[in-house]
Each structure stands twice: as C-alpha cells, then as structure tokens.
Amino acid sequence: MKRTKEHSQETADKLLGIARVRFTELGYAKASLEEIVAEAGMTRGALYHHYGNKLGLFKAVVSAVQAEVGEMVAREASRSEDPMEQLILGCKAFVEAAVSPSARRILLLDGPAVLGWEAWRRMDEENAMRHLREQLELLQARGYYSRLSPAAMTSFLSGALNESALWIAERPDEPGALDETMAVILHMLQR
C-alpha cells in the first residue's frame, strides 16, 4: 500500500513539474495537456485522476509556485532579528522571486486571468498576504504604524509589490530597476 501511495505521489509530482515548465514557457492558453502527458509518459487519465483537468493542474502549479516564493521570503526575512528589517528583506525577496520567468507568468500574468481575480486573490491571501499582515501586526505591536489599519496596509503593500514585480520584469535590460523599486518601498515603509 505504501508503495502505491509513493508511486501515486511520484506521478503527481512529475506531471506538476512538466506542467510548470510548459505553463512558464507557453502560458496557460498554449500549453497542451497532450504534450504534458506525452512528456511524462502517461495518459490523460493519470492527469485527470490527480488534477481533474487543465485548470486543476494549473491551480496546483500556482499553489506550488506561491509556496516556493513564500519559503524564499521567509528564509530571507529570517536573516534578521529586527522586525522592520525582516519586512524589508521579505519585500525584496518577494520582488526578486516574482520577476523570475515562472513566477511572473504563473503568478502575476496567467494566475489572475485564468483562475479569476477572486480565486487568485483568495490563494494570495492564504499564502503571501497572510504572512505580510502578521509582520505588519507585529510591527504595529512594537509601535510602528500605530494609526494605520493593518488590513489596509497589507492590501496596499501587496498590490505595490505585485505591480513592482511586473514593472521590473518588463525592464530586463535595466539592472537598476530592482534598486529603484526598493528605494521607493523603503521610502514608503519608513515614513
């Protein structure tokens, strides 16, 4: 029984990995289920068993990318003991991760378009925004932003980070774009 579960997980992971590459390279609309299962050496039935359909597979890819970005943000933020520096390091890590080709296309471009704004936003709230709000509440408890709503700040900062990532990604030949963005973020956070 254990081997069957392991094999099932291996199948699901293989499909997910191949789909992530295809969705990154081609986008959701042009990625073909036939090509994904063929590359995996599997049938459509295996894909349907694990993910239901193309949309279910894409949602799983979005979730995996969000988890990776979240881990990167947490890892970078944990380099400091100071809560404000943690926030700044986390913001920078998010923007850096979000401009990578897969994160940009999957999270920022196709994610909201394919899943719909409400579903994408719910997934974002469950992952990145929840941690951002916790950090802002911690800062507020330590005397920062005492007159500001943590919920409003979370939405504002999350939107700014997503837009900043898109802005940077559109300027691959401008190496200073990340530094310019971080200067603006620092200015806003330290007012």
Side-chain angles (χ1 to χ4, degrees):
M1 182 74 156
K2 184 177 178 183
R3 179 63 193 141
T4 303
K5 285 183 180 181
E6 287 174 5
H7 179 69
S8 179
Q9 188 60 51
E10 289 170 7
T11 299
D13 291 346
K14 187 172 185 178
L15 286 166
L16 191 68
I18 292 168
R20 180 175 178 167
V21 170
R22 294 290 179 163
F23 290 140
T24 298
E25 292 174 351
L26 304 171
Y28 178 82
K30 292 182 182 174
S32 159
L33 289 183
E34 289 79 16
E35 292 175 2
I36 292 169
V37 296
E39 186 176 334
M42 298 175 197
T43 65
R44 276 179 160 249
L47 187 139
Y48 293 142
H49 170 74
H50 290 285
Y51 299 105
N53 55 25
K54 185 177 179 180
L55 183 59
L57 179 60
F58 182 71
K59 188 174 182 180
V61 169
V62 170
S63 182
V65 173
Q66 283 182 328
E68 286 177 16
V69 169
E71 288 169 12
M72 181 183 291
V73 168
R75 185 173 51 249
E76 287 301 307
S78 71
R79 292 183 18 222
S80 175
E81 295 293 320
D82 177 64
M84 179 57 80
E85 191 173 352
Q86 289 174 340
L87 177 63
I88 293 165
L89 290 169
C91 288
K92 184 176 182 189
F94 173 81
V95 172
E96 287 176 334
V99 298
S100 73
S102 67
R104 177 181 177 263
R105 175 171 306 256
I106 291 168
L107 293 184
L108 302 177
L109 298 177
D110 285 354
V114 172
L115 300 174
W117 178 251
E118 288 182 24
W120 180 85
R121 183 96 159 68
R122 196 169 33 257
M123 289 178 77
D124 192 40
E125 285 176 1
E126 292 168 2
N127 292 288
M129 288 180 72
R130 178 175 54 92
H131 296 296
L132 180 58
R133 184 175 179 149
E134 289 169 0
Q135 190 67 25
L136 290 168
E137 289 171 344
L138 172 66
L139 283 164
Q140 196 170 54
R142 299 224 178 148
Y144 294 89
Y145 315 124
S146 60
R147 295 183 183 177
L148 300 175
S149 158
M153 285 185 61
T154 301
S155 291
F156 171 81
L157 190 52
S158 177
L161 292 170
N162 286 331
E163 281 297 318
S164 294
L166 285 169
W167 184 79
I168 292 167
E170 291 170 352
R171 289 158 178 75
D173 299 328
E174 294 181 29
L178 176 62
D179 292 336
E180 290 173 19
T181 296
M182 287 310 300
V184 172
I185 291 170
L186 283 170
H187 179 77
M188 299 300 285
L189 291 176
Q190 296 177 337
R191 297 281 306 148

